[in-house]
Amino acid sequence: MTKFKLYTLGQQSSNVKFGKKGLWIVILSFLGVVFAGQLIVSSVLAGKGGELAVLQNRTLDLSRQNQYLKQELASQTSLLSIEAVSRKRGFVKPESTVYINLSLPVASIIH
Amino acid sequence: MVISSNVRIKILTVFFLLAAVLLLTRLFNWQVVKARELSRLGASQHQTTSTVAARRGSILASDGFPLASAREAWLVWASLKEIKDSQKVTKQLATLLAPDPEPKEKTSTQSGVLTDAILDERTKEELIAEEEERIGRLFQKEDVVWVPIKHKITKEVKEKIESLDIPGIGFDLEEDRAYPEGTMSAQVLGFVGKDTAGSDKGYFGLEGFYDLTLSGTRGIKSWEKDASGNPILVGVSRNIVSMEGLSLKTHIDRTVQFTIEKHLREGIEKYGANGGTVIVMRPQDGAILGMASYPSFDPDNFASSDKSLFTNPGIGDSFEPGSIFKVLVMAAALDSGIVKPEDKCECTGPHRVAEYTIRTSTDKYYPGSTPREIIKNSDNVGMIWAVEKLGTDKLLEYLYRFGIGRPTEVDLQGEASPDLRDRGEWTSVDLATSSFGQGVAVTPIQMVQAVGAIANNGRLAEPQVVDGIVGQGWEQDVKPRIGEVVLQNKAVEQITEMMVGAVDYSLARWSKPLTGFRIAGKTGTAQIPIEGHYDKNKTIASFVGFAPAPQEGSGQAAKFVMLVTLREPTSSPWADATAAPVWFRIAEDIFPYFGIQPE
């Protein structure tokens, strides 16, 4: 026995009618909400697909830009570039190298 | 006639049943019988598949600087139906796509020898006209709707073409190779060309040897798209991830490489040589710190280079080493105990072997020479005395242990290895001449490896260019290949002192600033064999040495071993006037870099 039946012994037939009708209303409302929700999610996701494509292209562009900048940096810091720039600015190769002994004594013990 | 309602209901029922059966049949036909075909048609409309390219790995110097790396490039193509005025478009494109004329290279003022071969003397106008003709031919192709015009154009050229806004011209992303250091270490790097299927493939050097490692694997991406071409997130997608190529971290030291290339170029010009090679190796682990040969090629423009320059002479060209070979023969004689440092050679004059008379290079003779003096004087007659005591069997055994006659297996594509004659083919003349490096052939890398064993306290270290493999967030070292012990400590110390003596004997003449340094070295001037005889005028001048030469019992190790060879120097045929000064000029620059101090 359901709750409805305990309360409404005298009005059983009308409550049964309400129970069936109410149940249908609940089921249909639930289905309606589910369908509506699916519609909303689908339309949102459809829009997101476009956004995803934009983001993917942006990622690719940034990756390509990054690679380009790395190459530019390498080109500007190559020894060839540095040599050319230093020659232009008047740097010359040292004519000779002088080796000095860092451990120059200040004092020494005389025996 | 009146039809009763029951009959009408039955007729309608049958009618509806027939309609339902028809409907079900049609549905069965579309959803079962033609399901596959319709599914395929649908997929072709809303499914899209693209290949994800794998970026080729970089080749890095020891400091992580990229010697070769992937660079964005573009394929420019034309949709022929959309090209309105093909003549005008041809002219516009030709101006931007024609290559730049080859730079005119300087010639030596002293000897008239070109430092680089001039391959192309066409002017810019001629190159544009040729490009116009080529593009014109492409536009005239019949039964073709799409033509590729040029591969691997740079971003700058692409932007210039885009600014012209020509209908029917499009671009596809490709990959090219960038060389920030220009032609430096070109023959070590190799280049990237195409295979028969049109895919990128490495040739020669590191690009060739490590092609599979550098290449990576392409991926595939498949997804459902909507009418606008955007991906449907809840749709079916398939993703095979691409694997980017791995990078190589080499032992190549940019400073050393730059220095040796500069001095090699200057030396070739100064001494009027046809070409030359310099190799610098760390003897403890065989790490190749620098390798340069000249003439070389531009890896960025290899298609217009002389193909004979692609082979790295340092590993691919053999030569008769001459007197630099004496250190190996004498080391073998000392190590075997057959020759002792205090032994003396008669060496009173030319030595007769079979029907030949062998003289010293200067026709001077040094009676009663010790092994030290034989090396110091580079005495051919003294060397014959030592090798005849050693014998062919022992000599071959030691040469093989030094790595002569077999590939070093250095990790560069294009290594060649001249064979040593089989034991049965050796005559007394072959034994005699091999003692001073004639009648045997070696490659420069074999010579460096062999002398490196002396510098590494008698243990052979096999040469290696790559230090490690670098992936995304990980790095794996490539272990050095340390070989067997070739010489015992005592023989190493003895031959090292002899080589130090050989250098000190002429050091004042070669390069005064290097006094006070312990350098072990040997000159070698080898005649070049041509058609069964030796050319009287042409030589290969070499100097091989290592520094700092370890003192007896010091435990010190040499920091590098270096070989310089010059082919056919014209200012003087002798190594002590050509190859040796180049070696010392390079040493002068790299001693402070390596922290090598005078005693």
Side-chain angles (χ1 to χ4, degrees):
Chain A
M1 284 204 14
T2 63
K3 260 192 187 175
F4 273 178
K5 281 188 181 176
L6 282 171
Y7 279 134
T8 59
L9 281 171
Q11 299 167 349
Q12 196 170 5
S13 58
S14 63
N15 279 344
V16 166
K17 274 185 204 166
F18 175 75
K20 271 190 186 170
K21 196 177 174 183
L23 198 61
W24 274 111
I25 289 167
V26 165
I27 289 168
L28 285 171
S29 304
F30 176 73
L31 284 172
V33 165
V34 164
F35 281 131
Q38 195 175 13
L39 272 171
I40 292 165
V41 165
S42 296
S43 67
V44 166
L45 279 177
K48 292 295 178 198
E51 281 179 37
L52 176 67
V54 167
L55 285 170
Q56 281 175 340
N57 286 337
R58 183 91 181 107
T59 307
L60 273 171
D61 281 342
L62 285 171
S63 170
R64 283 207 289 263
Q65 224 176 349
N66 191 26
Q67 186 70 11
Y68 177 75
L69 288 169
K70 274 187 192 170
Q71 278 150 23
E72 276 299 298
L73 184 66
S75 178
Q76 297 301 323
T77 55
S78 67
L79 290 178
L80 282 175
S81 301
I82 292 171
E83 201 219 9
V85 168
S86 59
R87 209 179 320 123
K88 227 187 218 176
R89 293 187 182 186
F91 285 90
V92 295
K93 196 181 153 221
E95 297 231 343
S96 62
T97 308
V98 176
Y99 292 87
I100 56 170
N101 190 341
L102 285 177
S103 57
L104 289 169
V106 175
S108 59
I109 296 170
I110 302 170
H111 292 280
Chain B
M1 180 174 127
V2 175
I3 302 172
S4 71
S5 60
N6 279 346
V7 171
R8 281 200 297 262
I9 286 166
K10 280 178 184 163
I11 290 169
L12 274 172
T13 306
V14 167
F15 174 74
F16 279 116
L17 275 171
L18 280 171
V21 165
L22 194 67
L23 207 64
L24 282 169
T25 309
R26 290 302 288 168
L27 281 172
F28 183 83
N29 181 49
W30 291 123
Q31 291 189 356
V32 176
V33 173
K34 289 194 176 174
R36 197 171 282 182
E37 185 192 331
L38 291 172
S39 180
R40 186 178 49 78
L41 280 171
S44 69
Q45 284 184 350
H46 60 75
Q47 198 87 22
T48 193
T49 304
S50 72
T51 310
V52 182
R55 190 180 291 160
R56 191 174 177 88
S58 302
I59 299 175
L60 310 170
S62 59
D63 59 359
F65 186 90
L67 297 173
S69 61
R71 173 172 68 189
E72 180 184 277
W74 300 87
L75 159 67
V76 56
W77 50 262
S79 173
L80 295 180
K81 283 184 179 164
E82 295 177 57
I83 302 287
K84 300 276 186 300
D85 186 348
S86 61
Q87 272 195 333
K88 182 185 170 193
V89 170
T90 304
K91 274 189 169 56
Q92 286 175 310
L93 292 176
T95 312
L96 294 170
L97 296 176
D100 290 326
E102 293 283 308
K104 296 270 185 292
E105 300 294 346
K106 60 178 177 169
T107 57
S108 158
T109 53
Q110 289 181 351
S111 62
V113 171
L114 296 172
T115 50
D116 278 314
I118 293 178
L119 296 170
D120 195 340
E121 290 184 325
R122 291 174 290 177
T123 62
K124 181 72 179 175
E125 290 72 31
E126 284 168 338
L127 288 165
I128 291 173
E130 275 183 31
E131 189 69 6
E132 226 178 281
E133 199 186 316
R134 186 186 72 82
I135 296 172
R137 278 200 302 272
L138 286 172
F139 282 178
Q140 279 160 21
K141 280 190 172 183
E142 290 169 0
D143 302 327
V144 165
V145 294
W146 179 95
V147 287
I149 298 175
K150 190 161 189 176
H151 286 275
K152 304 202 174 182
I153 62 167
T154 62
K155 189 178 159 187
E156 290 75 25
V157 171
K158 178 210 174 213
E159 283 168 358
K160 283 179 187 168
I161 296 174
E162 273 179 331
S163 68
L164 297 173
D165 205 19
I166 305 169
I169 297 294
F171 304 90
D172 283 347
L173 184 63
E174 285 187 321
E175 192 182 277
D176 197 7
R177 214 77 171 127
Y179 301 93
E181 292 286 10
T183 61
M184 192 170 94
S185 58
Q187 284 158 331
V188 173
L189 296 174
F191 61 86
V192 178
K194 295 281 183 200
D195 62 14
T196 48
S199 303
D200 283 347
K201 184 175 158 65
Y203 294 91
F204 298 95
L206 291 168
E207 297 276 18
F209 193 91
Y210 287 99
D211 184 49
L212 212 59
T213 309
L214 291 164
S215 292
T217 315
R218 275 189 273 196
I220 298 173
K221 231 173 152 182
S222 170
W223 67 96
E224 284 184 285
K225 63 179 179 1
D226 61 19
S228 313
N230 296 320
I232 299 172
L233 291 182
V234 294
V236 172
S237 66
R238 201 164 58 108
N239 196 13
I240 298 174
V241 176
S242 67
M243 277 178 47
E244 293 208 337
L246 301 174
S247 295
L248 307 175
K249 189 168 182 205
T250 66
H251 289 293
I252 299 287
D253 186 307
R254 282 198 298 151
T255 302
V256 171
Q257 185 70 26
F258 186 83
T259 303
I260 65 177
E261 292 210 4
K262 179 166 157 276
H263 285 293
L264 177 62
R265 210 181 285 235
E266 286 170 359
I268 285 168
E269 190 167 332
K270 184 171 181 181
Y271 304 116
N274 269 353
T277 297
V278 178
I279 301 176
V280 181
M281 186 183 87
R282 188 165 54 221
Q284 290 78 24
D285 57 4
I288 299 295
L289 305 175
M291 184 187 281
S293 290
Y294 211 76
S296 183
F297 67 96
D298 182 359
D300 205 12
N301 196 19
F302 64 89
S304 54
S305 297
D306 184 354
K307 288 176 180 40
S308 66
L309 298 176
F310 294 161
T311 307
N312 183 345
I315 62 169
D317 283 0
S318 61
F319 69 109
E320 291 194 6
S323 296
I324 56 173
F325 205 68
K326 288 172 180 165
V327 302
L328 304 182
V329 176
M330 187 59 81
L334 290 166
D335 189 67
S336 66
I338 290 165
V339 169
K340 292 184 182 45
E342 59 273 14
D343 288 347
K344 287 184 184 186
C345 158
E346 278 188 24
C347 296
T348 50
H351 187 89
R352 192 151 179 87
V353 180
E355 67 269 35
Y356 297 98
T357 302
I358 297 174
R359 303 172 188 281
T360 63
S361 55
T362 55
D363 221 4
K364 267 185 178 177
Y365 301 91
Y366 307 91
S369 292
T370 60
R372 187 188 172 92
E373 284 158 343
I374 291 168
I375 293 293
K376 187 187 82 175
N377 299 321
S378 202
D379 185 350
N380 293 348
V381 172
M383 285 309 303
I384 296 172
W385 163 82
V387 84
E388 282 178 346
K389 287 172 77 102
L390 184 64
T392 309
D393 290 335
K394 276 279 178 195
L395 174 69
L396 286 175
E397 184 196 318
Y398 272 98
L399 289 183
Y400 196 76
R401 281 161 64 180
F402 271 122
I404 306 298
R406 56 186 168 99
T408 64
E409 295 181 11
V410 67
D411 48 351
L412 294 170
Q413 193 181 65
E415 187 183 15
S417 171
D419 293 326
L420 276 176
R421 275 189 295 275
D422 288 334
R423 173 62 187 93
E425 293 175 32
W426 280 70
T427 64
S428 55
V429 175
D430 296 325
L431 180 66
T433 57
S434 68
S435 71
F436 48 88
Q438 302 270 194
V440 286
V442 298
T443 57
I445 193 78
Q446 284 175 330
M447 201 61 223
V448 169
Q449 179 187 242
V451 175
I454 301 174
N456 190 31
N457 210 23
R459 186 177 286 274
L460 196 82
E462 292 167 358
Q464 195 165 288
V465 179
V466 170
D467 184 19
I469 310 287
V470 181
Q472 294 265 22
W474 59 270
E475 192 172 324
Q476 186 175 336
D477 287 339
V478 174
K479 285 189 172 40
R481 300 173 300 142
I482 310 296
E484 57 174 307
V485 172
V486 183
L487 305 168
Q488 300 303 315
N489 284 354
K490 195 169 164 195
V492 169
E493 286 168 1
Q494 288 164 354
I495 192 66
T496 300
E497 286 309 312
M498 290 175 195
M499 290 170 72
V500 171
V503 169
D504 286 343
Y505 174 65
S506 296
L507 188 56
R509 184 151 52 105
W510 292 330
S511 182
K512 280 184 182 171
L514 285 179
T515 48
F517 287 93
R518 264 184 71 82
I519 300 166
K522 183 74 189 76
T523 54
T525 304
Q527 290 177 294
I528 298 175
I530 295 175
E531 292 173 358
H533 69 277
Y534 285 107
D535 192 294
K536 282 183 184 169
N537 302 313
K538 294 181 181 173
T539 62
I540 293 180
S542 309
F543 186 91
V544 68
F546 53 89
Q551 295 268 21
E552 194 178 319
S554 67
Q556 196 189 10
K559 292 240 166 102
F560 70 91
V561 55
M562 177 164 61
L563 169 72
V564 173
T565 64
L566 297 178
R567 286 192 295 281
E568 301 177 32
T570 52
S571 62
S572 163
W574 302 105
D576 56 6
T578 53
V582 174
W583 197 103
F584 283 101
R585 272 189 227 113
I586 295 170
E588 213 179 334
D589 282 352
I590 66 177
F591 275 9
Y593 182 67
F594 283 139
I596 298 170
Q597 303 220 343
E599 292 182 307

